[in-house]
């Protein structure tokens, strides 16, 4: 099992070590966990300028010593991923080469069999024009073959089939390249900065997402990946270790499957820093000095074409603001006639807040004698409106549920009591 070397207060129990049937080497290794646990989970005092993913989503990862034939095995994807100039050049070369090759064959038949196999063809230029007209099905009516030679009939069939095959291949390549949703990602905006703030006494890592098109993406999913150096219990350092973080929009109901977004208007993605978060034992000072990168991936289906689009961005420690909160991009007063208007230029606007502690979330939850799983959802979600909707009372629901933490299985079990009459 992996052990996170944050600044955890957990120690291996001596009774567990003595009662186990492990050998002496394993006992010695487990007994040294308390000494290893003081080592940082992240590396410190390293350059923060290097990143795996740029802010615009481009990868800063390349491979070397790659065999060229690996790309040729998937030639279709290789051509589609190539630039337009290479596709157009390949298109021109293939067609010119086919016209020249078949024109040369027509000319050789003319040399060996004479003019009895053709009408109005006596030179290589006329043979090349016959090849061009046959490939493109122009049919001007002057140059043509006769039925006196079987070779010309067979060659006409072969060239026609090959021309249709080339046309189908390049038509598919060009359509696939045009219809790719690569440019669709330019209309999805991320905030340049991320913030760490509080929501209902929960420490949260947050960033903004906006889709500016009228036809929004379908089935949007957002994911967060943490890349950093990780040190195992055996002392091995794993560079670029990858962790997937839980993310959603409702900080009171973050689950593994809560990564779906409805981008009707800009929303704020939230990662709750709880016991399952790698940032649980990291304070503000350690946070700013650590070396890591968070990569955010947004996937969705383009309604017009049905293709799946993916856009990315990343956040370094210097781009995360501890003790700040985003400003609202749209409020209930931003209505124009029947339209809700929001300001896209405020996607990265933030304000400093004073209620965010500088200690680690672990120390903060310990100081208020609570854990993120024990916190009650905030009250007064619903306001009294024109339809007579009353304020939501969450105290009665919170009192009717007992939250029990099973320390053995590390699972949360909710036991609902029967309401008393």
């Amino acid at each position: 099992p992996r052990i996170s070397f944050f600044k955890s207060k957990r120690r291996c129990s001596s009774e567990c070590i003595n009662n186990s049937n492990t050998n002496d080497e394993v006992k010695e290794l487990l007994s040294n966990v308390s000494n290893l646990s003081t080592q940082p989970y992240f590396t410190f005092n390293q350059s923060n300028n290097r990143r795996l993913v740029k802010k615009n989503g481009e990868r800063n990862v390349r491979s070397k010593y790659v065999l060229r034939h690996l790309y040729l095995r998937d030639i279709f994807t290789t051509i589609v991923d190539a630039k337009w100039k290479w596709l157009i050049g390949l298109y021109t070369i293939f067609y010119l080469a086919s016209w020249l090759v078949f024109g040369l064959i027509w000319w050789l038949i003319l040399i060996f069999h004479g003019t009895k196999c053709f009408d109005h063809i006596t030179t290589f230029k006329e043979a090349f024009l016959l090849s061009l007209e046959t490939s493109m099905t122009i049919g001007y009516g002057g140059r043509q073959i006769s039925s006196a030679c079987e070779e010309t009939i067979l060659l006409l069939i072969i060239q026609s089939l090959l021309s249709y095959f080339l046309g189908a291949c390049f038509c598919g390549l060009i359509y696939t390249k045009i219809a790719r949703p690569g440019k669709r990602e330019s209309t999805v905006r991320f905030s340049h900065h991320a913030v760490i703030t509080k929501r209902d006494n929960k420490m949260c890592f947050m960033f903004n997402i906006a889709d500016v098109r009228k036809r929004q993406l379908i089935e949007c999913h957002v994911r967060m990946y943490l890349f950093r150096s990780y040190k195992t219990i055996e002392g091995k350092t794993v560079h670029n270790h990858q962790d997937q973080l839980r993310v959603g929009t409702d900080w009171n109901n973050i689950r593994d499957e809560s990564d779906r977004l409805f981008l009707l208007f800009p929303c704020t993605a939230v990662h709750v820093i709880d016991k399952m978060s790698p940032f649980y034992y990291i304070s503000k000072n350690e946070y700013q000095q650590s070396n890591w990168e968070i990569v955010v991936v947004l996937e969705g289906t383009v309604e017009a074409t049905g293709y799946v689009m993916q856009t990315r961005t990343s956040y370094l420690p210097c781009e995360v603001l501890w003790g700040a909160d985003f400003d609202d991009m749209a409020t209930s007063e931003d209505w124009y006639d029947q339209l809700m208007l929001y300001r896209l230029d405020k996607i990265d606007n933030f304000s400093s807040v004073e209620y965010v502690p500088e200690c680690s979330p672990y120390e903060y939850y310990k100081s208020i004698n609570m854990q993120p799983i024990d916190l009650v959802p905030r009250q007064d979600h619903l306001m009294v409106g024109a339809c007579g909707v009353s304020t939501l009372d969450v105290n009665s629901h919170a009192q009717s549920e007992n939250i029990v933490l099973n320390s053995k299985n590390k699972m949360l079990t909710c036991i609902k009591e029967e309401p008393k009459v």
Side-chain angles (χ1 to χ4, degrees), residues 102-128 130 143-146 149 151-152 155:
F102 281 100
L104 180 61
I105 297 176
W106 289 121
W107 183 57
L108 292 177
I109 294 177
L110 176 65
I111 293 176
F112 287 104
H113 293 276
T115 57
K116 66 177 183 177
C117 299
F118 303 94
D119 293 336
H120 306 289
I121 297 178
T122 57
T123 62
F124 175 75
K125 291 183 179 180
E126 294 176 344
F128 175 77
L130 175 64
R143 287 170 291 272
Q144 60 184 1
I145 64 173
S146 63
C149 301
E151 295 86 349
T152 56
L155 185 60

Side-chain angles (χ1 to χ4, degrees), residues 308-324:
V308 177
M309 182 219 70
Q310 182 183 99
T311 181
R312 298 176 294 268
T313 191
S314 67
Y315 297 99
L316 297 178
C318 59
E319 297 168 345
V320 180
L321 307 175
W322 188 297

Side-chain angles (χ1 to χ4, degrees), residues 140-288:
Y140 288 119
R143 287 170 291 272
Q144 60 184 1
I145 64 173
S146 63
S147 58
C149 301
E150 292 80 3
E151 295 86 349
T152 56
I153 299 175
L154 180 61
L155 185 60
L156 178 66
I157 296 173
I158 294 175
Q159 185 176 7
S160 300
L161 294 176
L162 182 62
S163 299
Y164 280 117
F165 178 76
L166 284 177
C169 290
F170 280 102
C171 181
L173 287 170
I174 294 174
Y175 173 77
T176 303
K177 194 170 182 63
I178 292 176
R180 284 195 311 171
K183 298 301 180 181
R184 178 64 173 86
E185 63 186 24
S186 61
T187 55
V188 177
R189 295 287 306 277
F190 293 95
S191 58
H192 185 79
H193 294 88
V195 299
I196 291 182
T197 185
K198 285 201 318 181
R199 287 286 188 273
D200 295 333
N201 286 335
K202 295 182 179 181
M203 300 289 289
C204 300
F205 179 102
M206 303 191 306
F207 56 92
N208 283 335
I209 306 175
D211 185 8
V212 301
R213 282 196 175 273
K214 183 178 180 180
R215 290 189 174 183
Q216 63 187 32
L217 296 173
I218 304 173
E219 289 293 328
C220 289
H221 297 265
V222 61
R223 297 194 300 272
M224 290 177 59
Y225 297 96
L226 174 65
F227 292 88
R228 88 281 192 208
S229 297
Y230 178 82
K231 194 169 185 179
T232 64
I233 190 173
E234 295 80 12
K236 177 179 176 56
T237 301
V238 181
H239 299 282
N240 297 323
H241 179 72
Q242 181 180 153
D243 272 343
Q244 185 172 357
L245 309 181
R246 295 192 302 173
V247 62
T249 56
D250 185 6
W251 53 89
N252 289 319
N253 191 23
I254 296 295
R255 308 178 308 277
D256 293 335
E257 65 274 9
S258 61
D259 57 350
R260 295 186 179 182
L261 300 180
F262 182 52
L263 294 178
L264 181 63
F265 48 83
C267 65
T268 301
V270 180
H271 164 66
V272 177
I273 305 178
D274 53 11
K275 285 186 175 180
M276 301 182 64
S277 174
F279 301 111
Y280 188 56
Y281 296 98
I282 292 294
S283 63
K284 179 180 179 180
N285 295 331
E286 295 172 340
Y287 191 88
Q288 295 174 346

